[in-house]
Amino acid sequence: MFDRDITLCFTGHRSYDGCCDEELRCAIREYYARGYRIFLSGMAVGFDHAAAEAVLQLRGELPGISLVAVVPFEGMERKFSKQARAHYDAILAAADKVVLLAPHYSAGVYAVRNNFLVDNSSATIAYFDGSKGGTAYTVRRTIKALHLYTNLYISPQQELFDRVLGVRG
């Protein structure tokens, strides 16, 4: 669907609090300098929203950068808070493209979204603290696919984890 050589995806925790927003923008700039132009966001609250917003903020600085909002199912925002729903709507309105993967929720729909992100890109920027869940699943698929990988979560344990797995950045 996308030229994987110039497409990057984001994955991260819903609990992301903006702690590394500047590092996120720097990472996007670095991948842009490597030739990446299409950035996929899975549109979950937290890191996905922050990453999408960072791409949108960098449009004036980085010509040709493109945000693709990958929505796992119609109505996913219904369970968001009022503030998060407004943020979601604003991102969708500003995105260069919206990809809707399913007409409604069903079991496994988030895994389908995560697979889509990895399968349609060749690099990943993550905020991954090592905990179980969808971000861990996506990071494992990223590593298995031999994608370029940058993890913005910094801790001595995470750095060791990345070295043991042979993660490339």
Side-chain angles (χ1 to χ4, degrees):
M1 175 171 252
F2 300 100
D3 180 349
R4 293 182 71 234
D5 292 337
I6 62 168
T7 303
L8 175 146
C9 69
F10 299 105
T11 189
H13 300 294
R14 291 185 176 111
S15 60
Y16 177 75
D17 63 1
C19 60
C20 60
D21 283 352
E22 184 54 39
E23 292 86 349
L24 173 58
R25 287 187 292 275
C26 287
I28 292 168
R29 286 183 189 102
E30 288 173 17
Y31 278 97
Y32 180 90
R34 293 180 181 190
Y36 286 85
R37 296 298 182 268
I38 302 168
F39 294 78
L40 309 178
S41 170
M43 294 305 292
V45 171
F47 187 73
D48 287 358
H49 281 191
E53 192 167 80
V55 171
L56 295 173
Q57 290 169 353
L58 290 170
R59 277 182 171 163
E61 177 185 332
L62 305 175
I65 196 168
S66 176
L67 174 66
V68 178
V70 180
V71 178
F73 62 95
E74 183 73 39
M76 78 174 279
E77 75 283 1
R78 288 186 203 129
K79 292 190 177 186
F80 294 175
S81 69
K82 185 177 180 179
Q83 181 181 6
R85 194 172 22 245
H87 195 216
Y88 172 90
D89 290 342
I91 293 168
L92 280 186
D96 297 288
K97 182 173 182 151
V98 176
V99 175
L100 179 64
L101 297 178
H104 51 79
Y105 175 80
S106 62
V109 73
Y110 291 109
V112 169
R113 186 264 323 267
N114 296 340
N115 291 341
F116 181 94
L117 293 172
V118 174
D119 293 346
N120 285 282
S121 62
S122 62
T124 302
I125 296 175
Y127 184 78
F128 176 50
D129 65 8
S131 62
K132 295 179 181 179
T135 299
Y137 172 85
T138 307
V139 167
R140 280 194 307 273
R141 288 202 79 236
T142 290
I143 293 166
K144 188 175 181 180
L146 302 177
H147 282 198
L148 293 174
Y149 171 72
T150 299
N151 186 7
L152 300 177
Y153 183 86
I154 303 299
S155 78
Q157 294 83 8
Q158 190 60 39
E159 290 172 9
L160 175 62
F161 174 78
D162 288 348
R163 274 200 313 273
V164 167
L165 289 177
V167 173
R168 302 176 310 144

